[in-house]
Amino acid sequence: MSFRPPKGTDDIGAPESHVWRDVLREWETWADRFGYPLVMTPIFEATELFERGVGDDTEVVTKQMYTFTDRGGRSVTLRPEGTAGVVRAFLDSGATGAWKGAYSGPMFRYERPQAGRRRQFWQVGVEYLDVKGPAADAEVIELGFRFLTGVEVPGLEVVVNSLGDEVCRPGYVTILRNFLEENRDRLCDDSVSLIGVNPLRVLDCKICAPVLNDAPAMKDHLCEPCAAHYDEVMTALKRLEIPYREDRRLVRGLDYYTRTAFEYLATDLEAAQNAVGGGGRYDGLAEAIGGRRAPGVGFALGVDRIILASVLEPDPQVDVYLVSETGPGDALVAASTLRSRGLRVDLDTEGRSVKAQFRTAGRSQARALVVLPTEGGDVDVRIDEERAQMPLQDVAAWLESRLP
Ligand code: AMP
């Protein structure tokens, strides 16, 4: 009998995982630089959290959740996204005032699997809570942009829009609904069925695009504070030199999303999978899941898709391969010395012949070779065409100036 990974999931090992590790490291670097500490929340939560936090009429909740009853009779769900859990954790912690958290981990959605659309996939993201100002939105957008630039997503595009708030959106929704009713005959069935329930979400429909290009835009109906907020976000992006494009049809279909909405596109990927991430302001979310009012902004980025798009060259995983003429005992001790100086080292632990060790060293793509002599004394260090003899203690310093 042989088992395979469940449908829509993957085993990821070397060499592909080299890129994963580099991307996740880059993520930690940028999250850290922007002052976002790591936040870790459970991979499963009460089902109701997602019903309320993601929205019980969204496709994610109605069709895609991995929900089961545990042995205690509770309905729990494998998290389909990260925001609801992080906002719950923030509320639960009792924290007040500006609060930041960065997460990284697997999410689960029962989807029809294809490239870039998995049932278990990895998201990284941030949530910035208890903050109202447009600078918070701009900072969050910048973090995602810097990270995606760092991992070399080609054709990266930032798309922004404003969704208004509880003051101006209801009026706009009425105007939009009237427009959709007037054009009912030209809309697809799914869109028609949304007119009554959630007309904003019709704007998302790719099939109806030709009709929707003429639809009234939220942007033209923003109240004064929302318009000012949106302008300030865009001014900040300009000053940060983040290229962006406005898209008047970019929406988030839930009431608690307010004002800023944005997406990151990898325009070199197929349109169906080219959204590498998205986010926005969600001033009503904390209340929707039963907490106090805590405005916030955040995003989630799909690492599977980032890796599909990225042109990042994997970093060879070791600096040094150690070849020993006297067996693995000596090699292990020498490796330990080099590792304690910060070098990444691999070696043969099986006592194979020197010739076999050289072969493995070649395959390992190590940047340098260190050969331990039979008689003790200086080791032989080789890096490309260069060779040198020196005491083992000096190897790290010698390599430091030579390894990129
Ligand atoms: P969402 O949480 O739906 O806004 O998705 C944010 C990002 O996560 C998307 O832009 C994708 O990059 C990624 N993503 C969402 N669903 C999947 C999936 N089923 N498989 C792979 N990546 C996904």
Side-chain angles (χ1 to χ4, degrees), residues 178-343:
N178 291 341
F179 170 87
L180 297 172
E181 285 293 357
E182 281 161 24
N183 290 279
R184 205 182 171 91
D185 303 346
R186 300 162 62 204
L187 298 173
C188 74
D189 291 349
D190 284 347
S191 290
V192 169
S193 67
L194 279 171
I195 298 177
V197 204
N198 194 335
L200 271 186
R201 231 185 279 157
V202 177
L203 292 176
D204 240 356
C205 179
K206 304 273 183 291
I207 306 169
C208 301
V211 188
L212 298 170
N213 285 335
D214 302 327
M218 182 72 239
K219 184 182 178 273
D220 302 326
H221 296 87
L222 294 174
C223 60
E224 200 279 320
C226 283
H229 186 100
Y230 189 34
D231 279 345
E232 283 178 53
V233 171
M234 290 191 289
T235 303
L237 294 180
K238 282 184 204 125
R239 292 188 64 192
L240 293 165
E241 298 181 17
I242 296 171
Y244 68 89
R245 170 168 73 78
E246 282 186 81
D247 179 352
R248 41 197 265 155
R249 285 181 40 211
L250 175 66
V251 287
R252 310 252 135 199
L254 295 165
D255 286 348
Y256 51 71
Y257 282 110
T258 47
R259 299 188 168 172
T260 316
F262 57 95
E263 249 175 22
Y264 301 98
L265 303 181
T267 54
D268 289 9
L269 283 187
E270 293 265 324
Q273 292 108 36
N274 78 4
V276 290
R281 181 163 269 290
Y282 44 74
D283 292 349
L285 174 58
E287 276 170 306
I289 63 172
R292 65 184 173 86
R293 185 161 178 88
V297 55
F299 64 66
L301 308 175
V303 176
D304 303 70
R305 288 202 198 160
I306 290 169
I307 285 175
L308 276 181
S310 167
V311 294
L312 206 63
E313 290 290 333
D315 187 21
Q317 292 298 291
V318 293
D319 298 312
V320 170
Y321 195 93
L322 260 181
V323 173
S324 167
E325 298 181 358
T326 58
D330 291 339
L332 203 55
V333 175
S336 180
T337 302
L338 297 180
R339 286 168 178 155
S340 72
R341 307 262 161 112
L343 288 170

Side-chain angles (χ1 to χ4, degrees), residues 44-99:
F44 62 90
E45 299 267 3
T47 301
E48 201 186 339
L49 175 70
F50 299 117
E51 288 168 349
R52 292 218 239 155
V54 182
D56 50 16
D57 63 346
T58 58
E59 195 162 78
V60 169
V61 169
T62 54
K63 297 192 191 141
Q64 299 181 336
M65 293 209 302
Y66 278 92
T67 298
F68 60 98
T69 308
D70 73 7
R71 286 170 194 272
R74 304 170 194 88
S75 177
V76 294
T77 294
L78 300 184
R79 63 183 183 194
E81 57 95 56
T83 303
V86 172
V87 174
R88 180 201 51 65
F90 158 77
L91 290 169
D92 206 35
S93 75
T96 50
W99 182 98

Side-chain angles (χ1 to χ4, degrees), residues 109 111 116-118 121 123 252 275-277 300-302 305:
R109 293 183 197 174
E111 301 228 41
R117 194 174 293 280
R118 317 302 296 151
F121 58 100
Q123 280 186 343
R252 310 252 135 199
V276 290
L301 308 175
R305 288 202 198 160

